Amino acid sequence: MNRMRQSHIVLSGRPGNETKRIPLAGGPSGKANIPLAARHLIDQYRRFLRTSYRFLDEHLRRQFEAHLAEIDIVVKGPYVTLAREFHSGKTLRALIDSGAAGAELARLRWPFGPNPLYAHQEQALALGRAGKSFIVTTGTGSGKTESFLLPILEGVLRRKREGIRGVQALLLYPMNALANDQLERLRRLLRGTGVDLSFALYTGDSDVTTTRLQEEPAETERLKRSEIRSNPPDLLLTNYKQLEFLLVRREDRSLFGPALRYLVLDEVHSYRGALATEIACLIRRLKARAGVLPGELLAIGTSATVASGEEGLRALAAFASTLFGEVIDEDALVVEARKQAPAVVDAAPPSPDLTPRELEAFDPSDEEATLALAERLTGRKAPPSGSLPRRVAALFARNGVVQLLENVFAEAASTGDAVAALRERFSDRRELSDDRLRSEVEAYLLAGSIGDEGDPPSLRPKLHTFFHGIYDVALCLDPACRTLVPQGGSECPRCGAAARPAALCRTCGQDFLKVVLPAEQGAPTEGTGDFFSTESTAFLTPRLHELLESEEDEEEGESEKPEELKEKSRRQAPAGKGHEKVRLCAGCGRLFEGNPARAQCPACNRATEGFLLFRGKLSKCPT
């Protein structure tokens, strides 16, 4: 079976995201019914797999479709998390007044405005001012950019007053899209402020990119490579591949000198294995070129992946220290602190009799429908005035179900976990069906997620779904059994015969066993799941199946029965060119060639089975 990589899809109901990422299943405003969107993706993915892997062999086809029907085989989730508010710190003005921040920072256009910083942003500022390298490992939307810009910009301004000129801060990104996004943030932050902070983007296509972004350039921005070389900016944004070129090009390597003080590595969790080794070497070359001694470079990493537990934090600190070649202690890991969900103390209203079909028809852009759903869930009438999110919030206040969901979904959990918790906590729900309780959970998430940044919702759910492909599937060698064996097993769990990797023609559905031929006659064959074939590769099948003259994709539930298939017009499959007739022992996988081939396996005293063998790369399907 062809391999496909695992992928992770997040459907977010957070403000500002629910109207952008999921255009399907939405109303006129574009707001999406997120649970329906998740189910739609899962159903479509399964349909894609069914049509991509269509076995001609009816016995194998039934097994494969049963395999796909099991929810946890190719799809994990959806899992739900409810975002909670981060703990707040002091306002920037309060920090400036107390001497914990430089006064010039107040002139910049920070996205948090006069509001308090998050506690982790305040911690990062303090670490940077103390000259300590640190890692910001907080969730999406937590203001990681501000966490490192606050100490960097303050430090750059202070050093410029001391007469230091040149590139002081280097911001490295794993891809150009992230660097472009950061450039636009800096434009918004600095444009029109009059603050003496210069910056530039230097990537393979930055001379063109800088003029095509939505945000207009700021006054202190260097737009061309020639400007960057002749008048180096305080902050330079690039990617690690471009940095490699900058360090070897004669006209560019002079950008890095003793002025360099800050190095930011964004998305630090993406650097693993050989790439991490390459980046570690690149950072050491950078420091050598700039003449920066150990301890003189303030290294900062960001990651949305939060290490769990003390052991995880220790491992992250050790990894970051090795990567940067700088000391990063555990107390220099900036982790998020969120407000705790309340304990379940209030009663729950009776469970409404909602059906999945009603929720599928729900349109989040319909304010009257949203309010009606919230009233039906809570058994109360909404306040007569106020915005829709505020009226829903009033209905959800001191609601036992809402409190329970906030606790269950504090960490990623399935709707099934929430159903079980509802049954355990509220006695009136113990006899209700799973479908009814699951509909209740989804209804709360739908009604509670309506809102935006200016008028935030009561609940901020994110649905996470993991999809992975069909790979490492083996096939029993016994023609009388032919059981599909998942996870690349080498033994059939049903009959005990040997199993070898299955291969499938994606056009017609003819199945094969893919093996490596033994060096010695009569030795066992070995399985190979590699995508590529060599001269020692062979494809085996007990028979070439008859091929339908015309096959069309079938919708779920409309698969034809075997007797109906027989009535269709068929043609006999050709015997195939270049094949050999061999005998195979289903017990140990030994292959016997020659005419006549062995009818009995000498190793396990088992009758051998007749197979067709195709040597080397099978570039054209014999069927």
Side-chain angles (χ1 to χ4, degrees):
M1 313 289 274
N2 287 357
R3 293 172 179 262
M4 288 186 286
R5 294 185 180 274
Q6 176 173 294
S7 58
H8 170 214
I9 297 177
V10 178
L11 306 181
S12 176
R14 293 179 299 133
N17 289 334
E18 76 276 8
T19 62
K20 296 178 183 177
R21 295 190 181 183
I22 311 297
L24 52 91
S29 71
K31 294 180 180 178
N33 183 327
I34 300 297
L36 178 60
R39 283 197 294 273
H40 177 77
L41 281 176
I42 292 170
D43 290 343
Q44 290 298 306
Y45 182 60
R46 282 210 177 90
R47 182 169 179 246
F48 161 74
L49 291 178
R50 281 197 310 274
T51 54
S52 296
Y53 299 97
R54 292 182 61 82
F55 288 90
L56 272 176
D57 186 298
E58 188 65 26
H59 175 60
L60 296 182
R61 182 188 289 199
R62 286 197 300 268
Q63 290 182 67
F64 182 70
E65 293 188 351
H67 181 73
L68 291 184
E70 298 180 36
I71 182 70
D72 285 339
I73 297 297
V74 295
V75 178
K76 297 279 188 182
Y79 300 102
V80 181
T81 54
L82 281 176
R84 301 193 306 276
E85 293 295 327
F86 295 103
H87 274 302
S88 297
K90 298 176 182 177
T91 64
L92 182 57
R93 173 48 58 189
L95 290 171
I96 292 171
D97 293 343
S98 66
E104 282 188 286
L105 292 179
R107 297 170 58 189
L108 303 178
R109 302 179 186 276
W110 298 103
F112 46 74
N115 299 316
L117 277 66
Y118 292 134
H120 56 264
Q121 292 174 327
E122 187 176 334
Q123 179 191 0
L125 174 59
L127 287 168
R129 296 186 92 231
K132 296 191 67 173
S133 297
F134 61 89
I135 303 293
V136 182
T137 173
T138 58
T140 304
S142 60
K144 287 188 291 293
T145 296
E146 290 71 35
S147 295
F148 65 76
L149 283 181
L150 282 162
I152 288 177
L153 299 188
E154 183 191 36
V156 168
L157 289 167
R158 183 187 68 251
R159 298 176 85 227
K160 289 188 74 171
R161 289 194 297 270
E162 297 170 356
I164 296 175
R165 293 292 182 270
V167 175
Q168 296 193 50
L170 181 63
L171 280 57
L172 283 184
Y173 294 87
M175 59 184 72
N176 285 349
L178 295 173
N180 295 343
D181 181 66
Q182 186 63 267
L183 179 69
E184 294 198 284
R185 286 172 179 248
L186 286 172
R187 287 176 172 180
R188 290 192 293 269
L189 185 67
L190 291 163
R191 188 191 301 112
T193 63
V195 177
D196 184 21
L197 281 168
S198 57
F199 62 99
L201 173 71
Y202 196 147
T203 61
D205 57 359
S206 55
D207 276 8
V208 176
T209 300
T210 52
T211 61
R212 294 182 176 179
L213 298 176
Q214 289 185 338
E215 287 290 333
E216 292 295 323
E219 299 83 354
T220 56
E221 182 179 351
R222 314 280 192 260
L223 295 175
K224 298 293 182 181
R225 293 185 181 185
S226 57
E227 297 176 45
I228 296 172
R229 292 165 180 157
S230 62
N231 189 12
D234 302 317
L235 284 79
L236 184 64
L237 286 66
T238 187
N239 57 63
Y240 61 85
K241 292 182 180 179
Q242 190 64 37
L243 177 59
E244 184 86 37
F245 296 128
L246 293 173
L247 289 173
V248 298
R249 278 199 295 254
R250 181 176 302 172
E251 62 269 32
D252 289 324
R253 60 191 180 198
S254 59
L255 290 170
F256 308 110
L260 186 64
R261 169 66 171 163
Y262 303 96
L263 173 63
V264 176
L265 209 57
D266 193 39
E267 305 285 347
V268 72
H269 60 275
S270 64
Y271 302 108
R272 305 175 186 175
L275 177 59
T277 303
E278 292 177 14
I279 298 300
C281 292
L282 182 64
I283 291 172
R284 284 152 179 79
R285 286 174 52 205
L286 171 68
K287 291 194 283 187
R289 170 63 205 172
V292 177
L293 299 175
E296 292 183 345
L297 184 70
L298 201 155
I300 301 171
T302 74
S303 173
T305 304
V306 181
S308 58
E310 293 184 6
E311 193 64 33
L313 293 175
R314 278 195 293 270
L316 178 58
F319 168 75
S321 298
T322 302
L323 186 67
F324 284 107
E326 301 289 338
V327 176
I328 300 179
D329 301 320
E330 288 178 52
D331 61 1
L333 299 179
V334 180
V335 298
E336 63 187 37
R338 293 182 180 267
K339 297 177 181 178
Q340 294 299 310
V344 179
V345 295
D346 291 340
S351 176
D353 188 8
L354 285 166
T355 65
R357 186 174 295 276
E358 287 181 89
L359 289 184
E360 289 175 4
F362 174 72
D363 180 1
S365 66
D366 187 333
E367 293 196 7
E368 289 186 6
T370 300
L371 202 60
L373 179 61
E375 290 178 338
R376 188 173 173 186
L377 289 169
T378 59
R380 300 164 53 194
K381 294 296 293 181
S385 60
S387 67
L388 178 62
R390 294 303 89 208
R391 295 171 78 186
V392 172
L395 290 171
F396 281 7
R398 299 190 63 80
N399 181 297
V401 175
V402 172
Q403 293 172 357
L404 180 139
L405 294 180
E406 287 176 338
N407 280 281
V408 170
F409 296 136
E411 302 292 338
S414 68
T415 53
D417 295 327
V419 166
L422 280 172
R423 278 210 183 93
E424 182 180 350
R425 175 64 181 85
F426 303 114
S427 58
D428 64 330
R429 286 165 168 79
R430 287 172 189 163
E431 302 302 322
L432 300 181
S433 70
D434 284 356
D435 283 345
R436 176 166 171 172
L437 293 181
R438 186 173 288 107
S439 294
E440 182 180 7
V441 170
E442 291 186 358
Y444 271 100
L445 296 178
L446 279 169
S449 64
I450 302 302
D452 54 36
E453 292 292 354
D455 200 357
S458 305
L459 303 174
R460 300 188 179 203
K462 289 191 289 184
L463 272 69
H464 310 254
T465 304
F466 295 84
F467 298 81
H468 65 80
I470 303 299
Y471 50 87
D472 292 343
V473 175
L475 179 58
C476 173
L477 299 187
D478 188 345
C481 178
R482 288 176 64 77
T483 294
L484 289 175
V485 183
Q487 309 304 327
S490 59
E491 182 177 312
C492 176
R494 179 171 298 173
C495 73
R500 296 293 182 263
L504 180 73
C505 174
R506 296 280 291 272
T507 300
C508 74
Q510 172 66 46
D511 61 273
F512 299 92
L513 300 161
K514 187 177 181 182
V515 301
V516 176
L517 294 174
E520 299 179 3
Q521 176 79 1
T525 57
E526 295 181 2
T528 173
D530 292 342
F531 181 80
F532 297 102
S533 302
T534 66
E535 291 302 316
S536 60
T537 305
F539 293 85
L540 292 156
T541 182
R543 69 186 181 95
L544 296 176
H545 298 283
E546 292 179 339
L547 180 66
L548 293 176
E549 283 187 347
S550 175
E551 275 200 354
E552 297 179 357
D553 291 347
E554 297 164 3
E555 296 292 339
E556 186 173 2
E558 297 178 0
S559 182
E560 293 170 297
K561 297 178 182 179
E563 56 269 22
E564 293 171 339
L565 287 172
K566 291 177 182 177
E567 294 174 1
K568 277 198 169 185
S569 174
R570 292 171 173 266
R571 64 176 171 83
Q572 180 64 38
K577 293 183 179 180
H579 75 278
E580 305 168 37
K581 292 183 178 180
V582 297
R583 307 289 295 183
L584 190 69
C585 175
C588 62
R590 279 178 168 80
L591 184 69
F592 302 98
E593 303 176 48
N595 190 16
R598 284 182 181 268
Q600 202 82 10
C601 176
C604 54
N605 200 31
R606 178 170 178 159
T608 59
E609 306 286 349
F611 275 78
L612 299 177
L613 180 144
F614 300 85
R615 295 180 184 272
K617 183 179 180 182
L618 190 59
S619 57
K620 184 175 181 181
C621 177
T623 299

